[in-house]
Amino acid sequence: MKRRFALIDLRHDPEPDRHRRQIETALEKARSQGAELALLPELVFDPYFCQTESAAHFARAQRLDGEHAQMLGQWARSYDLVLVTSLFEARLPGICHNTALVVERDGSVAGIYRKMHIPDDPGYFEKYYFTPGDTGFCPIDCSAGRLGVLVCWDQWFPEAARLLCLAGADCLLYPTAIGWNPADPPEVRTRELDAWITIQRSHAIANGCPVLVANRTGHERDPSGQSEGIHFWGHGFAAGPQGEYLAPPTSDQASVRVVELDGERTGTVRANWPFLRDRRIDAYGAILERACPGPTRPKD
Amino acid sequence: MKRRFALIDLRHDPEPDRHRRQIETALEKARSQGAELALLPELVFDPYFCQTESAAHFARAQRLDGEHAQMLGQWARSYDLVLVTSLFEARLPGICHNTALVVERDGSVAGIYRKMHIPDDPGYFEKYYFTPGDTGFCPIDCSAGRLGVLVCWDQWFPEAARLLCLAGADCLLYPTAIGWNPADPPEVRTRELDAWITIQRSHAIANGCPVLVANRTGHERDPSGQSEGIHFWGHGFAAGPQGEYLAPPTSDQASVRVVELDGERTGTVRANWPFLRDRRIDAYGAILERACPGPTRPKD
């Protein structure tokens, strides 16, 4: 079975109506190219507010039946698209999450994923805002297949990709917000971008599973003035189950691209490279430890 | 602390004396360039006999104090190098392994690793010859540091790399024997080589740890005549802890290259990209399962 999915890299527009109109334009373009699913960047409605820590930003969080989720449902119906992105979820007072939603074409929520791995480094103070997710790593069934949805920082963790694939995900989808520190020299930026592409392609290869990523683009300033802000690097891409590009990472500009996923190819690739067959589950126990400075190797 | 390690890509010479002389030439070159460790391809003394299944090949297996291991010890002393490669180990009648050795500069064995993930696909009938290893994934301490030694097929498994790094490995070393099916078209070969490079670089990135690989080169014929044999693809390389090349994969020809590892850089990279801090060990349990087609995501 073949499916057409759209990758939408977006620049956040601080003017809300204009921001929504640009999303609608992108969704219309995706649909006109035959997509049945559109992947949008992380926290699609908000500026990347995690550049600073301010209690005022918690007012941005919404319940999963709030205005932002309703807007996604309306778009899903209007454009006849399954939508995947993340929202700032207000779950309970004092418990907010970075929550991905899969919104079905009829506007209903097919399932959610609460970001499990939460970053915290200069410019990305997410541990302040986002309680670690409790959904674990389970695929979400919808009309576009059995989706393995993860969010941004999860992309650095082979465990997350592996668990979704062991649970039967057809593909891995990463709504993302990552960028460069404008103060960093070009060689650092190149290395970071390359590492980010490489680690995600590796999840495709290790698991014989397509990987799709959509990222923010453009500069967002640091309201504290303490840094030069973030230059979100775009370069969303799609890779097939051997890591081969279906849509290469090409640019730090906003874009809409539609790729075709071949549902048969995962089986073909896994038959030729049967990694999942050979996993040593009897010897992986220490994966569940923080660190394991055990005895070193015996000599015989 | 900086260390110089040599990567030696080799073509198997079927004439044993000539084969040993070419290894000696490579080791001398490595030492003359200031290396303190040399990484050689997998099963360095043997032709890649796993292209066919024949009970006669079990006669090649040797005990870990046999002629091959002694030769490694003699070379380690002569060239004042730590040596890392794998041998066909005869452990007990009916139990043979593909066993990596770390041989100390005084000729003693610093530690062994028995290949844990065993491949089996056309041309690589390793499950017939090699009993799955029972050493688990523990680093080996030697004068060149705390080494994370794996063998070939292990390179496709993020779990193996992760476990060694959680146990404190300074670097990951992969003696390897992988190549192309000469009957495959160029685009297939390019994709396979690229996937092999990408997955290994990803282990560096995921773990903030250098990765080094040495591979066979050249064509070895299939004695059964049923296939066109294997064109071992060389392209050994070394990557630093963000996946950046210390020595890029450049050629399918035999080569000796010496790279410098900066022991401080792992700490710097892990401080900037603190992935290990954020692992969700509470939610990785299903990594120990074969497959986990559990319930799909709840809607709230």
Side-chain angles (χ1 to χ4, degrees):
Chain A
M1 178 160 196
K2 303 206 172 178
R3 296 185 182 279
R4 293 171 71 80
F5 284 9
L7 314 171
I8 300 177
D9 281 5
L10 274 182
R11 180 190 178 97
H12 182 78
D13 191 318
E15 204 289 295
D17 284 343
R18 215 164 47 199
H19 186 56
R20 291 175 188 201
R21 281 198 301 277
Q22 76 164 341
I23 296 174
E24 290 165 359
T25 303
L27 294 177
E28 185 157 4
K29 188 169 173 187
R31 187 63 194 136
S32 73
Q33 293 178 32
E36 57 179 302
L37 176 148
L39 176 64
L40 292 155
E42 184 180 12
L43 298 170
V44 69
F45 289 102
D46 295 296
Y48 187 70
F49 54 85
C50 312
Q51 289 199 61
T52 58
E53 295 194 2
S54 165
H57 285 306
F58 283 101
R60 298 178 179 278
Q62 298 189 3
R63 293 192 56 85
L64 289 184
D65 56 1
E67 184 197 349
H68 288 163
Q70 287 176 35
M71 178 66 66
L72 290 176
Q74 186 182 312
W75 283 335
R77 281 192 303 277
S78 299
Y79 299 101
D80 194 26
L81 281 166
V82 173
L83 297 181
V84 179
T85 179
S86 89
L87 304 178
F88 187 18
E89 178 194 0
R91 186 178 185 182
L92 282 176
I95 301 184
C96 296
H97 296 284
N98 187 328
T99 302
L101 284 83
V102 174
V103 181
E104 192 46 273
R105 295 155 87 150
D106 65 3
S108 65
V109 174
I112 66 167
Y113 163 75
R114 293 190 174 109
K115 190 173 181 177
M116 293 286 287
H117 298 101
I118 309 293
D120 197 283
D121 55 295
Y124 300 82
F125 298 107
E126 295 196 16
K127 286 195 195 295
Y128 177 68
Y129 295 105
F130 306 133
T131 303
D134 59 350
T135 47
F137 306 96
C138 301
I140 296 172
D141 283 328
C142 72
S143 64
R146 179 161 282 186
L147 308 181
V149 179
L150 294 164
V151 178
C152 200
W153 191 241
D154 293 321
Q155 62 215 170
W156 302 101
F157 297 83
E159 292 92 342
R162 179 69 98 202
L163 286 163
L164 282 167
C165 290
L166 291 179
D170 297 332
C171 61
L172 300 173
L173 305 172
Y174 291 93
T176 297
I178 191 171
W180 292 298
N181 176 350
D184 277 336
E187 65 273 17
V188 170
R189 301 193 200 189
T190 301
R191 194 167 62 230
E192 290 179 348
L193 174 61
D194 188 36
W196 176 81
I197 293 167
T198 301
I199 192 86
Q200 291 178 94
R201 288 180 63 213
S202 85
H203 304 325
I205 297 162
N207 298 291
C209 181
V211 167
L212 295 87
V213 51
N215 191 19
R216 281 178 188 240
T217 68
H219 183 262
E220 296 186 31
R221 72 178 201 86
D222 174 359
S224 76
Q226 294 186 325
S227 79
E228 295 180 34
I230 300 175
H231 177 160
F232 290 97
W233 67 44
H235 283 88
F237 68 92
Q242 272 186 321
E244 74 279 14
Y245 286 125
L246 306 176
T250 48
S251 144
D252 64 353
Q253 302 298 304
S255 64
V256 178
R257 285 177 300 165
V258 175
V259 298
E260 187 172 87
L261 302 184
D262 177 353
E264 315 255 302
R265 191 162 149 68
T266 285
T268 308
V269 165
R270 289 186 186 175
N272 279 283
W273 279 357
F275 308 141
L276 297 183
R277 178 194 66 191
D278 293 336
R279 296 178 67 244
R280 289 296 303 270
I281 56 174
D282 58 313
Y284 293 162
I287 289 272
L288 307 183
E289 305 289 335
R290 279 274 166 244
C292 36
T296 52
R297 171 77 46 251
K299 293 188 185 183
D300 54 57
Chain B
M1 176 159 194
K2 305 208 171 173
R3 295 186 182 278
R4 293 172 72 80
F5 284 8
L7 315 170
I8 299 178
D9 281 4
L10 273 182
R11 179 189 178 96
H12 181 78
D13 190 318
E15 204 289 295
D17 284 343
R18 216 165 46 199
H19 186 56
R20 290 175 188 200
R21 280 198 301 277
Q22 75 164 341
I23 296 174
E24 289 166 359
T25 303
L27 295 177
E28 185 158 2
K29 187 170 174 186
R31 188 62 194 136
S32 73
Q33 292 178 33
E36 58 179 300
L37 176 149
L39 176 64
L40 291 154
E42 185 181 12
L43 298 171
V44 69
F45 288 102
D46 294 297
Y48 187 70
F49 55 83
C50 313
Q51 290 198 61
T52 57
E53 297 194 1
S54 163
H57 285 308
F58 283 102
R60 297 178 178 279
Q62 300 188 0
R63 292 191 58 84
L64 290 183
D65 56 2
E67 183 197 352
H68 288 163
Q70 287 177 32
M71 178 66 66
L72 291 176
Q74 186 181 313
W75 283 336
R77 282 193 303 274
S78 299
Y79 299 101
D80 193 27
L81 282 164
V82 173
L83 298 181
V84 180
T85 180
S86 89
L87 304 179
F88 187 19
E89 179 195 359
R91 187 178 185 183
L92 281 176
I95 302 185
C96 296
H97 297 284
N98 186 327
T99 302
L101 283 83
V102 174
V103 180
E104 191 47 273
R105 295 155 86 149
D106 65 2
S108 65
V109 174
I112 65 167
Y113 163 74
R114 294 191 174 108
K115 187 172 182 177
M116 293 286 287
H117 299 101
I118 310 293
D120 198 283
D121 54 294
Y124 300 82
F125 297 106
E126 296 197 14
K127 287 195 195 295
Y128 176 67
Y129 295 106
F130 306 133
T131 302
D134 59 350
T135 48
F137 305 96
C138 302
I140 295 172
D141 283 328
C142 71
S143 64
R146 179 160 284 186
L147 309 182
V149 178
L150 294 165
V151 177
C152 200
W153 191 241
D154 292 323
Q155 64 215 167
W156 302 100
F157 297 83
E159 292 92 343
R162 179 70 100 201
L163 286 163
L164 282 167
C165 290
L166 291 178
D170 297 332
C171 62
L172 299 174
L173 303 172
Y174 292 93
T176 297
I178 191 173
W180 292 298
N181 176 351
D184 277 337
E187 66 271 17
V188 169
R189 300 191 200 191
T190 301
R191 192 165 67 228
E192 290 180 350
L193 174 62
D194 188 38
W196 177 80
I197 294 167
T198 300
I199 192 84
Q200 291 179 92
R201 289 180 62 214
S202 84
H203 304 324
I205 297 162
N207 298 291
C209 182
V211 168
L212 294 87
V213 52
N215 191 19
R216 280 178 188 239
T217 68
H219 182 263
E220 296 186 30
R221 70 178 201 89
D222 175 357
S224 77
Q226 294 187 328
S227 80
E228 295 181 32
I230 300 175
H231 177 162
F232 289 97
W233 68 43
H235 283 87
F237 68 92
Q242 271 185 323
E244 73 280 14
Y245 286 126
L246 307 176
T250 49
S251 145
D252 64 354
Q253 300 299 305
S255 64
V256 178
R257 286 178 300 165
V258 174
V259 298
E260 188 173 85
L261 302 185
D262 178 352
E264 314 255 302
R265 192 162 148 68
T266 285
T268 309
V269 165
R270 289 186 187 175
N272 279 284
W273 279 357
F275 308 141
L276 296 184
R277 178 194 67 192
D278 294 335
R279 297 177 65 246
R280 287 298 301 273
I281 56 174
D282 59 313
Y284 293 163
I287 289 273
L288 306 184
E289 306 288 335
R290 279 276 165 241
C292 38
T296 51
R297 169 77 45 253
K299 293 188 186 184
D300 56 55

